[in-house]
């Protein structure tokens, strides 16, 4: 044990490398236990996640064991391991604060050296649901492919090596990007990465469906031949090589994983050292970007004067500048386009599936006041009557419509073009408009009756502790109510199809547009007095984060 000088001038004992490991393990367990004690909702969510993970892990092991002796067992094992490793690499970009107990930025002021700190963090990182699932995958994989004593020896090395590479990969990515992800521009880059992965997942689903029609895993053997030499899949590939008697190849694959683990640990230590010794200048240039004038310019100049224009502009600027709001919108825009278009490309879609795009963007109307977080008090000060609340909600709905209406038209037209079903275009667009109006109505009402806070810390933590139930009530209740409000237009659409009156489907476009406009206006009108009357409760609810 050594002694370091603290900033206050007192001698602070620095724990040695071996002593840090049990300290951090106890710290991880203590923080986890105390976090679960904060609320019953958080405890229930963790227990439910653990149960689901255990069930998935058990099913995964059983399925892999059942594949023992199958010709394509090794192909599936190495590809599945590669997918899991990819998940470990990108999860820190999606959830940079998902494991707050291992946030390296919280350790900057402690008298700890990076090298022993890496070992302690690596061991404590093995505690959690993710490592448990990965361990089950590795164990099931080696059981599926191991044959012979040499393969068993390779399996004993491959299981912990695979787990360590995955954990080190996640921690090195998280540490290297911790400041990037906590800055505004950095979170924009993370958002772009998340969008790429989200699009990639849809193409993976598309490829899996094509794979099923193409003859199974045998078509993936050329890809598996390459992946089995990429860590950490190479560790499990070594088990297959040892089973086939290719001992030289097995040794080489194990060494590749060992080299990858060493490189990741070195990169992790280098990033941690830089984090603990370099100042954070991520926001220095922010002041230089501030504009000097307050006059509207560009498209904002087209907005009406008064509170409506000001509130609409504020909402649009939130979408463009606030990382969390931008992340939600970009995800909704991407998924709303991908789902109907990819289904259309596969030949299994329908033009009416384009309504999914309107639904994804319509959900942005929910929890309008919570999206302002603690800054909502400035808006609350300007609301003194139901009229003020109505104008505020109407302006927010207008901001949403300025993006959603052209987007809905675009997605519907693209889907119809891919399917070649232009006759259903007006009907699909009419149903989309009706759905959008219904979601504006229910979103405004949910914003007034069931507001909840969105924490500022964590780029993807969207509900404050203890308010998850409110979020579920707001969203699920609003979706059910929206479906009920859309029932007349949906019934008319179904009736026209059943009665073989496709020539009259064009009527659904004006009917849906008028009905959606009326329902949306009525919902905002009814939500306004409730928002004005519950202003103190709303302010208290959205300020908890």
């Amino acid at each position: 044990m050594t002694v370091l000088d603290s900033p206050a001038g007192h001698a602070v004992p620095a724990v040695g490398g071996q002593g840090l490991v049990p300290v951090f393990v106890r710290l991880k367990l203590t923080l986890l236990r105390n976090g679960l004690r904060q609320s019953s909702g958080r405890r229930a969510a963790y227990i439910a996640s653990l149960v689901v993970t255990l069930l998935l892990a058990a099913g995964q092991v059983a399925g892999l064991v059942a594949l023992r002796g199958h010709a394509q067992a090794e192909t599936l094992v190495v590809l599945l391991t590669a997918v899991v490793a990819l998940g470990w690499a990108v999860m820190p970009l999606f959830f940079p604060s998902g494991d707050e107990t291992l946030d390296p930025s919280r350790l900057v002021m402690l008298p700890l050296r990076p090298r022993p700190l890496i070992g302690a963090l690596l061991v404590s990182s093995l505690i959690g649901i993710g490592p448990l699932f990965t361990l089950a995958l590795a164990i099931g994989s080696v059981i599926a492919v191991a044959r012979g004593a040499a393969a068993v020896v390779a399996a004993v090395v491959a299981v912990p090596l695979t787990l360590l590479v995955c954990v080190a990969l996640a921690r090195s990515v998280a540490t290297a990007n911790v400041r990037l992800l906590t800055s505004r521009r950095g979170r924009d880059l993370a958002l772009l990465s998340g969008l790429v992965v989200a699009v990639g997942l849809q193409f993976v689903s598309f490829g899996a469906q094509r794979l099923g029609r193409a003859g199974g895993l045998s078509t993936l053997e050329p890809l598996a031949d390459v992946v089995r030499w990429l860590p950490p899949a190479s560790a499990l590939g070594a088990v297959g090589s040892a089973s086939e008697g290719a001992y030289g190849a097995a040794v080489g694959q194990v060494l590749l994983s060992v080299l990858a683990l060493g490189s990741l640990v070195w990169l992790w230590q280098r990033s941690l050292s830089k984090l603990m010794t370099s100042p954070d200048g991520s926001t220095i240039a922010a002041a230089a970007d501030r504009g000097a004038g307050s006059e509207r310019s560009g498209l904002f100049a087209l907005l009406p004067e008064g509170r409506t224009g000001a509130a609409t502009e504020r909402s649009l600027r939130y979408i463009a500048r606030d990382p969390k709001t931008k992340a939600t919108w970009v995800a909704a825009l991407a998924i709303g386009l991908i789902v109907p278009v990819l289904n259309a490309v596969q030949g299994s879609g329908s033009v009416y599936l384009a309504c999914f795009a309107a639904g994804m963007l319509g959900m942005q109307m929910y929890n309008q006041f919570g999206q302002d977080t603690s800054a909502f008090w400035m808006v609350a000060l300007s609301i003194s009557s139901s009229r003020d609340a109505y104008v505020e909600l109407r302006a927010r709905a207008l901001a949403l419509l300025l993006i959603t209406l052209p987007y809905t038209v675009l997605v519907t037209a693209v889907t119809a073009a891919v399917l070649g079903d232009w006759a259903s275009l007006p009907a699909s667009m009419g149903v989309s408009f009706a759905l959008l109006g219904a979601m504006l109505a229910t979103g405004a009402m949910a914003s007034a009756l069931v507001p909840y806070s969105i924490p500022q810390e964590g780029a993807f933590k969207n509900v404050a502790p203890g308010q998850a139930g409110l979020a579920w009530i707001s969203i699920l209740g609003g979706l059910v109510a929206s479906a009920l409000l859309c029932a007349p237009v949906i019934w008319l659409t179904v009736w026209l199809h059943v009665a073989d009156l496709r020539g009259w489907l064009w009527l659904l476009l004006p009917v849906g547009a008028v009905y959606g406009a009326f329902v949306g206006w009525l919902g905002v009108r009814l939500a306004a007095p409730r928002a004005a009357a519950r202003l103190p409760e709303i302010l208290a609810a959205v300020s908890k984060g």
Side-chain angles (χ1 to χ4, degrees), residues 180-205:
L180 180 68
L181 294 174
T182 52
S183 66
R184 175 185 149 190
R185 294 182 179 179
R187 280 176 284 188
D188 290 345
L189 294 176
L191 169 63
L192 179 61
S193 301
L195 177 61
V196 171
V197 173
V199 174
L201 290 177
Q202 296 297 325
F203 282 101
V204 168
S205 175

Side-chain angles (χ1 to χ4, degrees), residues 226-542:
V226 176
V227 173
R228 65 170 42 96
W229 288 93
L230 301 177
S234 61
L236 297 180
V239 180
S241 298
S243 299
E244 298 171 356
Y247 303 123
V251 172
Q253 288 168 314
V254 170
L255 290 178
L256 281 175
S257 292
V258 172
L259 179 62
L261 177 60
S263 300
L264 289 171
V265 170
W266 179 79
L267 290 173
W268 184 9
Q269 179 180 336
R270 184 178 179 183
S271 300
L272 189 61
S273 299
K274 184 178 180 180
L275 179 68
M276 299 177 72
T277 58
S278 302
D280 183 6
S282 59
T283 58
I284 292 178
D289 296 334
R290 295 173 183 169
S294 59
E295 295 183 359
R296 293 178 185 170
S297 59
L299 296 178
F300 290 124
L302 301 177
L303 295 175
E305 296 295 333
R307 183 183 187 119
T308 299
T312 302
E313 181 179 357
R314 183 182 68 239
S315 297
L316 292 174
R317 290 192 183 276
Y318 275 165
I319 296 172
R321 295 181 177 181
D322 181 66
K324 284 192 174 183
T325 305
K326 184 187 293 185
T328 304
W329 271 91
V330 171
L333 290 168
I335 297 175
L337 175 65
I338 291 170
V339 170
V341 172
L342 272 186
N343 278 274
V345 171
Q346 297 176 51
S348 59
S350 167
V351 178
Y352 293 101
L353 195 57
C355 298
F356 185 79
M360 288 296 298
L361 295 192
M363 290 181 64
Q364 310 311 312
M365 187 65 186
Y366 291 81
N367 196 35
Q368 277 291 311
F369 303 133
Q371 294 177 23
D372 295 354
T373 63
S374 58
F376 177 68
W377 71 270
M378 300 181 66
V379 178
L381 289 176
S382 65
I383 298 177
S384 58
S385 64
S386 298
R387 174 65 183 175
D388 292 337
Y390 169 71
V391 175
E392 178 70 26
L393 285 171
R394 184 183 64 183
R396 292 171 184 252
L398 175 60
L400 187 143
L401 288 173
L402 290 176
I403 300 174
T404 305
L405 285 178
Y407 175 79
T408 301
V409 174
L410 173 65
V411 173
T412 308
V414 171
T415 306
V418 173
L419 291 172
D421 187 8
W422 293 103
S424 299
L425 175 64
S428 175
M429 204 170 294
V431 176
S432 296
F433 291 158
L435 175 62
L436 181 58
M439 298 195 76
L440 289 178
T442 56
M445 191 66 70
S447 298
L449 298 179
V450 199
Y452 56 90
S453 176
I454 300 178
Q456 288 298 293
E457 75 278 3
F460 296 92
K461 183 189 289 186
N462 293 322
V463 181
Q467 291 188 328
L470 295 176
W472 282 108
I473 293 173
S474 174
I475 297 175
L476 293 181
L479 292 177
V480 173
S482 298
L484 293 176
L485 288 175
C486 283
V489 177
I490 295 175
W491 178 86
L492 179 59
T493 306
V494 174
W495 180 77
L496 289 175
H497 278 279
V498 172
D500 199 20
L501 298 174
R502 294 181 61 88
W504 294 93
L505 286 176
W506 64 270
L507 283 175
L508 288 170
L509 178 56
V511 169
V514 173
Y515 182 81
F518 172 74
V519 171
W521 168 82
L522 183 61
V524 172
R525 173 69 71 178
L526 295 176
R530 290 164 175 80
R534 301 187 70 253
L535 205 56
E537 291 87 347
I538 295 175
L539 184 58
V542 303

Side-chain angles (χ1 to χ4, degrees), residues 92-228:
L93 301 178
F94 281 113
F95 306 101
S97 61
D99 189 354
E100 296 178 350
T101 64
L102 300 176
D103 185 355
S105 64
R106 299 172 183 264
L107 308 174
V108 171
M109 300 303 295
L110 298 179
L112 301 173
R113 301 187 184 279
R115 181 170 296 178
L117 186 58
I118 290 295
L121 288 173
L122 182 61
V123 174
S124 57
S125 297
L126 299 176
I127 303 173
I129 296 178
L132 176 62
F133 181 84
T134 307
L135 179 62
L137 167 67
I139 293 176
S141 298
V142 298
I143 294 176
V145 300
R147 297 187 305 275
V152 172
V153 173
V156 172
V157 177
V159 170
L161 187 57
T162 300
L163 179 60
L164 289 174
V165 170
C166 289
V167 173
L169 175 62
R171 301 318 305 168
S172 61
V173 170
T175 304
N177 293 279
V178 63
R179 284 181 175 169
L180 180 68
L181 294 174
T182 52
S183 66
R184 175 185 149 190
R185 294 182 179 179
R187 280 176 284 188
D188 290 345
L189 294 176
L191 169 63
L192 179 61
S193 301
L195 177 61
V196 171
V197 173
V199 174
L201 290 177
Q202 296 297 325
F203 282 101
V204 168
S205 175
F206 175 68
Q209 296 182 20
R210 288 295 181 91
L211 180 63
R213 296 193 292 265
L217 290 172
S218 59
T219 59
L220 292 179
E221 287 184 357
L223 177 62
D225 290 338
V226 176
V227 173
R228 65 170 42 96

Side-chain angles (χ1 to χ4, degrees), residues 5-12:
D5 291 333
S6 69
H10 302 289
V12 179

